[in-house]
């Protein structure tokens, strides 16, 4: 019997443990991937803690997967993949193909979306079975440890900006310069936006400038964030990567007329926005989900072209528990990535 290792949690909120699993065969229109790297996302806590309906234990989290196709199931070859191809799988882990959003071609909001670590075992493992429609091809220029985070953190920020109403030259603010935001600033600059980075503390100004930001706003300086944005002319778009509803709310009055708040940072607390703040200036607020496999592929191609890489700390699968706790504590700079070992 051939086996592989997983880092799993056997009960909601439990500790990670290493386990051996028998190597499975991919079913129709699925492939088996030999995992080379998997990023640790804050959303993994939703699965570890059983915070979403339908989560079953033991759970193997991980939806920032990069590796190589190891075996093709029946029909998977029709998608043009071969054994050895480098692929990534992100939050978009496949769609049902028959719900109304899928029939309209809007696969990322599929009502039966298959998220790795939720619908099937994720990438905290040596191998993953994934639907073929979840695969994104990794460019040669990207290492696996860079490609994995691009499949969630990267595509969410990249897509959030390119699907926004901003055009080159517009003032665009990125709230937060952590795991999502440090990529968001770099993408905003590469897309030709006049870029504002917003974070806590004057000491982060130099880092924001190294990322390419044209302006830095310290949210703890005493000057309201909205006032600081208006002094720059008002933001056409605010990409809110920080998972803090109070901080997100503080940016709304900094939007220009017809400005747009794009929320990608998750916080269960409600936003404190009044209709008047939106009505008088025609502002909009919307949430933005991740992106399809094609969006992930576009993100990686853009990143390779503009030499954009996530800032990562790689650790072996053996250290999954410690790496997950470092992510939860906010000490990661900025993406913890598990590597096969």
């Amino acid at each position: 019997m051939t086996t592989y290792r997983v880092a799993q949690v056997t009960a909601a909120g439990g500790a990670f443990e290493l386990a051996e699993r028998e190597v499975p065969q991919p079913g129709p229109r699925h492939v088996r991937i030999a995992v080379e790297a998997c990023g640790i996302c804050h959303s993994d806590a939703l699965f570890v803690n059983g915070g979403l309906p339908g989560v079953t234990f033991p759970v193997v989290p991980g939806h920032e997967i990069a590796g190589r196709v190891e075996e093709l199931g029946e029909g998977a070859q029709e998608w043009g993949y071969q054994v050895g191809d480098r692929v990534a799988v992100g939050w978009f882990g496949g769609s049902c193909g028959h719900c109304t959003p899928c029939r309209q071609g809007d696969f990322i909001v599929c009502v039966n979306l298959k998220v790795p670590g939720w619908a099937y075992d994720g990438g905290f493992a040596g191998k993953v079975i994934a639907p073929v429609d979840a695969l994104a091809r990794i460019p040669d220029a990207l290492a696996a440890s860079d490609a994995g985070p691009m499949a969630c953190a990267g595509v969410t920020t990249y897509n959030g900006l390119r699907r926004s109403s901003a055009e080159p030259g517009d003032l665009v603010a990125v709230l937060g310069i952590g795991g999502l935001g440090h990529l968001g600033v770099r993408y905003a600059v590469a897309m030709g936006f006049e870029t504002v980075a917003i974070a806590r503390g004057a000491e982060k100004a130099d880092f924001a400038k190294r990322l390419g930001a044209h302006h830095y706003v310290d949210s703890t300086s005493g000057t309201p964030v909205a006032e600081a944005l208006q002094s720059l002319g008002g933001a056409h778009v605010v990409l809110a990567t920080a998972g803090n509803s109070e901080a997100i709310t503080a940016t709304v009055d900094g939007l220009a007329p017809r400005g747009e708040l794009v929320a990608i940072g998750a916080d269960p607390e409600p936003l404190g926005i009044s209709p008047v703040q939106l009505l008088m200036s025609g502002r909009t607020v919307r949430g933005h989900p991740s992106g399809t496999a094609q969006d992930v592929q576009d993100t990686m191609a853009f990143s390779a072209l503009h030499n954009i890489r996530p800032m990562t700390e790689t650790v072996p699968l053996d250290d999954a528990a410690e790496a997950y706790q470092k992510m939860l504590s906010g000490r990661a700079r900025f993406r913890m990535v598990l590597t096969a070992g």
Side-chain angles (χ1 to χ4, degrees):
M1 180 180 71
T2 305
T3 63
Y4 69 103
R5 293 189 308 155
V6 302
Q8 65 180 18
V9 174
T10 58
F16 277 92
E17 61 182 43
L18 294 175
E20 295 280 336
R21 301 272 184 90
E22 184 175 354
V23 174
Q25 299 301 306
R29 298 166 65 88
H30 284 68
V31 304
R32 188 172 70 237
I33 300 167
V35 178
E36 296 177 344
C38 184
I40 301 177
C41 178
H42 202 278
S43 298
D44 288 320
L46 294 173
F47 312 130
V48 170
N49 295 324
L52 292 172
V55 173
T56 58
F57 292 88
V59 159
V60 180
H63 57 268
E64 293 186 344
I65 304 163
R68 294 181 182 270
V69 174
E70 190 173 70
E71 186 168 350
L72 299 161
E74 181 184 356
Q77 68 275 7
E78 297 174 7
W79 291 65
Y81 291 101
Q82 299 179 11
V83 171
D85 284 350
R86 303 179 69 226
V87 294
V89 179
W91 180 267
F92 178 85
S95 56
C96 72
H98 58 75
C99 69
T100 297
C102 283
R103 287 170 60 83
Q104 294 172 334
D106 199 358
F107 301 106
I108 190 57
V109 290
C110 169
V111 298
N112 303 298
L113 187 67
K114 302 170 186 175
V115 180
W118 188 4
Y120 53 87
D121 285 346
F124 288 19
K127 301 182 190 298
V128 164
I129 300 285
V132 69
D133 65 317
L135 306 184
R137 294 185 182 274
I138 300 175
D140 291 341
L142 290 185
S145 57
D146 293 328
M150 292 293 181
C152 181
V155 69
T156 302
T157 50
Y158 173 76
N159 244 14
L161 289 168
R162 75 163 172 170
R163 306 292 189 201
S164 76
S165 58
E167 297 181 353
D170 285 341
L171 189 76
V172 170
V174 178
L175 173 65
I177 51 176
L180 293 170
H182 84 285
L183 288 169
V185 170
R186 296 208 62 192
Y187 287 138
V189 173
M191 290 178 186
F193 304 137
E194 183 180 354
T195 303
V196 185
I198 306 170
R200 294 175 57 83
E203 71 279 1
K204 295 180 182 176
D206 287 343
F207 176 58
K209 294 298 176 66
R210 290 200 301 273
L211 292 173
H214 304 98
H215 311 279
Y216 178 69
V217 171
D218 172 11
S219 62
T220 66
S221 69
T223 301
V225 169
E227 184 178 321
L229 290 176
Q230 288 297 343
S231 73
L232 296 170
H236 193 89
V237 167
V238 170
L239 182 71
T241 74
N244 184 306
S245 292
E246 183 178 354
I248 295 171
T249 298
T251 68
V252 173
D253 286 334
L255 291 168
R258 301 289 180 188
E260 180 182 27
L261 170 63
V262 181
I264 63 175
D267 186 348
E269 295 301 316
L271 296 174
I273 300 172
S274 74
V276 172
Q277 289 175 281
L278 307 179
L279 290 169
M280 300 303 291
S281 296
R283 296 164 175 152
T284 60
V285 179
R286 67 178 179 87
H288 173 76
S290 177
T292 65
Q294 183 61 54
D295 292 325
V296 173
Q297 198 161 305
D298 293 347
T299 300
M300 293 190 291
F302 186 89
S303 300
L305 180 65
H306 291 277
N307 196 30
I308 296 172
R309 304 290 188 275
M311 297 178 68
T312 63
E313 180 180 343
T314 59
V315 297
L317 182 64
D318 288 358
D319 297 334
E322 293 82 358
Y324 175 77
Q325 290 301 324
K326 188 169 184 178
M327 177 279 297
L328 280 183
S329 72
R331 293 182 291 112
R333 293 292 181 268
F334 283 101
R335 217 59 171 179
M336 302 302 298
V337 179
L338 302 176
T339 57

